[in-house]
Amino acid sequence: MYSDFGAFAKALDNGVVPVGRDVLIPSQAVGDEAMAGSHDQYRVRIHNAGMATLLRAEYSQSDIAVLLSKTAGIRRIQVVEQPWGTFINAASFDSQDEASATNYDAVWVRDSIWGYYALAAEAGREQDAKAVLLTQLSYLASQSERMDRVIARPELLDMPEPVGSMNAVHIRFDAQSPDYADVTEHGEAQPWTHKQNDALGLVIAASVHALRDGSVTLDELSAPVAVPGSKACSENDAPSASTRDAAAHPALNSRLAGLVRLVAYLHAVKFQEMEDSGAWEEQPRRNTSSIGIVVSALEDLRDLLGGAVVEHQSPARQERSSLARAYGAVVSALHLEGLADAESISTLIVEGNEVLHRQLRMGGESPDYPVEDARYRQADAALLSLVYPCRPKELNLAEELHILQIVGSLIGDFGIRRYLHDTYQSANFWWHDIKPDADPESHAKREAEFVRGTEAEWFFDSWYATCCLVVAKEMEADGMRTGLPAGASMSPVMLREAAVRHLNRALGQITGDGMVSADGKPVGPDLLPESYNRIVARHDDGKVFTWAVPSPIAPLNWAKASLTLCLQEFLQE
């Protein structure tokens, strides 16, 4: 629609392009329960007129049921079925040109697991959820050779970039490729920051979730899967011992074997000490969120495998005991004792917890660096993962409240920032010819064009709302129904008030009629964008004006999943 930035800014300034309107919502918390800085009313920016009538100051179960119904089409996650698997693309585009320009039509492990959780929570989508998870486990199994290499030689991850990251377990692939090939650029695999242990932890956590509720069976995990073109670090490397064994014993190319190898891989690379690119796929740092997700996943796996064999077991207990035996047999067959067995898992949990709690005491996401180091960070939205969906068992209430508090410092007018000084999709990003990739040149250009205070504000309000409800329930379970517990900054009443506020903000992010995205192109109604981006322009008189418009990455399936899970959490209230 707009190919000229000046014309786009003028259209925004003249009101030709809609940017939403503010709706006032009464605040329910009063007196001692009022949130710090709250007033009798608060503003929510609404972009979709149909949402305005659905917002509430307080939600009943019937209100949530109406929201679930009214937003069903908006939240619906489209799965892509191919002969080689069932996938969730990161984003859904009407235009293939848009998809090709951003590569958001690829499949990310992290986004897929969030999609799995949302599909599993929706009546009638359970089979889609199962198919998505099994495909992710098949993708993991396809990387057996790559994992074997790193297990034997962890230093492969320390090679100069991008080689080091490309040696790691890959977390993104091309859904159109029958052998889960990497996204390509100019005919070659696009270099990517694949060191993302948080995504690997999510796979383990989701697998345990599915095994525990019976939606995935041991037989489905243990069956050999076709592994076309097993992924190795180098095509010239000779097969490892475990890979040779797998060739002789097809069951070692199973999804279960992939999980066993993944545990050994996380052990070999010392995930609790490793610097990874984390949820935002950027400069490696020792991320508390990544460490905590892996700890939580390993705790779940340990508990699942820990069932003792007893007489007259229930079918579920028998399945659990069978899983423990099958897991142990694969560990032995792959010669991964001391790396992936039950005792090793327990050791990893202890060591991971030590780092997790130390870093939370130090301040947040990656505080164990000098303040002037670019890797130093306290507030980061990725920390929400440790409250939901992957809460480590030893995480205490004070730590959870600390996470909510520091992530709260990232709340903006329209969404939640990933972290301060986040240059991705900041002011006028899409007009600077910057590629949304992991290339150092792109990052340097982002930094050069960054306008302070214009970080993109993401869809995380629904995620934050879910976390508030989770912590409120935990506080009430501990008998803290009213007032503030000692040392706590928020009570259950305040947390529920915050949850309602952030649900309302999440609904406000849904696009409406006639909107234009931050790249000047039309964006359809009833979509959940990845974020809201700033457009900053200077008038002839020198005055600077700022508008917030949707990112062209819309709809984002992670955003859909997050809103679905948030509404389901409210429904349980």
Side-chain angles (χ1 to χ4, degrees):
M1 178 181 288
Y2 295 97
S3 58
D4 177 74
F5 178 79
F8 183 34
K10 186 175 181 180
L12 287 165
D13 193 31
N14 293 337
V16 175
V17 174
V19 292
R21 65 183 179 90
D22 288 342
V23 173
L24 291 175
I25 307 293
S27 176
Q28 291 298 297
V30 295
D32 293 339
E33 296 293 352
M35 293 182 64
S38 70
H39 302 285
D40 293 339
Q41 295 177 318
Y42 60 90
R43 296 179 183 273
V44 174
R45 177 62 59 90
I46 293 293
H47 297 89
N48 185 304
M51 290 296 110
T53 60
L54 301 177
L55 303 190
R56 298 287 184 270
E58 200 171 13
Y59 285 95
S60 66
Q61 277 202 331
S62 61
D63 291 329
I64 295 298
V66 169
L67 277 177
L68 282 164
S69 175
K70 294 288 187 181
T71 63
I74 296 170
R75 295 179 294 100
R76 183 171 179 80
I77 295 173
Q78 180 182 355
V79 298
V80 178
E81 296 183 3
Q82 299 279 18
W84 54 89
T86 301
F87 313 101
I88 299 174
N89 300 120
S92 305
F93 296 103
D94 292 331
S95 164
Q96 185 55 45
D97 289 342
E98 282 186 277
S100 299
T102 62
N103 285 327
Y104 269 74
D105 59 338
V107 178
W108 268 261
V109 170
R110 179 185 306 100
D111 299 50
S112 296
I113 298 303
W114 273 87
Y116 156 76
Y117 280 125
L119 291 170
E122 292 237 80
R125 303 298 305 275
E126 297 88 353
Q127 288 304 309
D128 284 339
K130 175 177 179 174
V132 166
L133 179 59
L134 289 177
T135 298
Q136 289 298 315
L137 290 171
S138 295
Y139 174 50
L140 182 66
S142 79
Q143 301 187 67
S144 296
E145 181 73 6
R146 178 176 287 128
M147 286 189 280
D148 289 343
R149 293 293 168 204
V150 175
I151 291 167
R153 296 174 55 204
E155 64 272 14
L156 287 169
L157 300 193
D158 298 327
M159 296 180 70
E161 296 297 348
V163 177
S165 287
M166 294 299 284
N167 283 341
V169 175
H170 286 199
I171 51 73
R172 185 187 72 153
F173 62 92
D174 181 356
Q176 300 303 314
S177 168
D179 61 350
Y180 311 124
D182 286 336
V183 173
T184 59
E185 194 173 52
H186 309 302
E188 300 289 336
Q190 184 185 36
W192 201 253
T193 49
H194 286 289
K195 295 178 186 176
Q196 297 180 32
N197 292 341
D198 66 302
L200 306 183
L202 282 169
V203 174
I204 298 173
S207 301
V208 173
H209 176 274
L211 286 162
R212 185 180 288 139
D213 69 13
S215 58
V216 168
T217 67
L218 176 57
D219 286 345
E220 289 167 326
L221 273 192
S222 300
V225 295
V227 186
S230 181
K231 313 298 188 304
C233 292
S234 169
E235 294 180 0
N236 297 321
D237 287 337
S240 64
S242 58
T243 301
R244 291 195 299 271
D245 288 344
H249 304 283
L252 299 186
N253 275 332
S254 66
R255 299 181 181 103
L256 179 59
L259 279 174
V260 170
R261 284 184 169 97
L262 183 54
V263 173
Y265 169 93
L266 291 167
H267 194 147
V269 302
K270 298 182 178 179
F271 81 91
Q272 69 276 20
E273 301 175 10
M274 176 180 165
E275 293 182 332
D276 80 324
S277 293
W280 315 138
E281 307 186 307
E282 296 180 338
Q283 180 183 12
R285 50 172 51 83
R286 193 173 301 109
N287 290 299
T288 303
S289 58
S290 294
I291 295 167
I293 289 173
V294 174
V295 166
S296 175
L298 292 176
E299 288 173 336
D300 290 345
L301 180 60
R302 174 199 61 193
D303 293 348
L304 186 68
L305 296 174
V309 179
V310 296
E311 293 184 7
H312 309 299
Q313 299 179 86
S314 68
R317 186 84 176 196
Q318 290 173 0
E319 177 86 356
R320 185 175 171 185
S321 298
S322 298
L323 173 64
R325 290 193 297 271
Y327 182 94
V330 173
V331 169
S332 297
L334 291 176
H335 315 294
L336 293 176
E337 297 91 343
L339 286 171
D341 56 274
E343 185 176 350
S344 299
I345 292 173
S346 295
T347 299
L348 286 176
I349 291 168
V350 171
E351 294 177 355
N353 267 317
E354 289 177 358
V355 179
L356 169 65
H357 295 296
R358 183 180 73 243
Q359 295 208 163
L360 286 174
R361 286 195 303 271
M362 294 177 69
E365 176 67 338
S366 54
D368 200 7
Y369 299 96
V371 175
E372 63 275 10
D373 192 310
R375 295 168 295 178
Y376 174 85
R377 185 178 300 159
Q378 292 196 13
D380 191 309
L383 288 166
L384 293 175
S385 297
L386 306 187
V387 179
Y388 184 90
C390 291
R391 180 188 180 278
K393 290 179 170 54
E394 292 186 15
L395 194 73
N396 60 48
L397 183 59
E399 290 169 324
E400 289 180 295
L401 290 170
H402 173 62
I403 288 170
L404 291 177
Q405 184 177 24
I406 60 175
V407 174
S409 69
L410 301 174
I411 296 169
D413 295 329
F414 313 101
I416 298 179
R417 303 171 184 90
R418 300 191 301 181
Y419 55 89
L420 295 180
H421 203 95
D422 179 9
T423 61
Y424 181 52
Q425 298 188 45
S426 59
N428 307 338
F429 174 90
W430 302 98
W431 296 89
H432 293 310
D433 192 29
I434 304 174
K435 295 170 61 179
D437 61 16
D439 189 271
E441 291 186 11
S442 300
H443 281 261
K445 194 168 185 179
R446 281 162 46 175
E447 185 68 34
E449 300 288 355
F450 179 67
V451 178
R452 186 180 179 85
T454 67
E455 296 93 343
E457 296 182 14
W458 287 57
F459 66 88
F460 302 148
D461 282 278
S462 54
W463 191 5
Y464 194 87
T466 301
C467 291
C468 287
L469 291 179
V470 167
V471 177
K473 290 177 183 177
E474 290 180 12
M475 294 177 76
E476 290 181 339
D478 289 341
M480 302 175 187
R481 296 190 178 277
T482 60
L484 288 172
S489 57
M490 290 181 279
S491 70
V493 171
M494 295 164 67
L495 287 166
R496 285 197 165 82
E497 163 78 2
V500 169
R501 182 179 303 214
H502 286 281
L503 171 57
N504 286 336
R505 283 164 52 95
L507 296 170
Q509 292 160 6
I510 297 170
T511 58
D513 293 328
M515 295 191 72
V516 178
S517 65
D519 61 356
K521 298 175 183 176
V523 60
D526 299 330
L527 302 180
L528 281 162
E530 183 173 58
S531 62
Y532 271 77
N533 301 168
R534 293 295 201 288
I535 299 296
V536 177
R538 187 182 299 275
H539 280 199
D540 293 339
D541 60 7
K543 291 182 180 179
V544 175
F545 286 78
T546 302
W547 304 270
V549 293
S551 163
I553 311 301
L556 185 76
N557 282 316
W558 185 2
K560 292 182 183 183
S562 183
L563 181 56
T564 291
L565 292 165
C566 177
L567 291 173
Q568 292 292 341
E569 194 69 31
F570 265 95
L571 195 63
Q572 293 175 23
E573 287 281 291

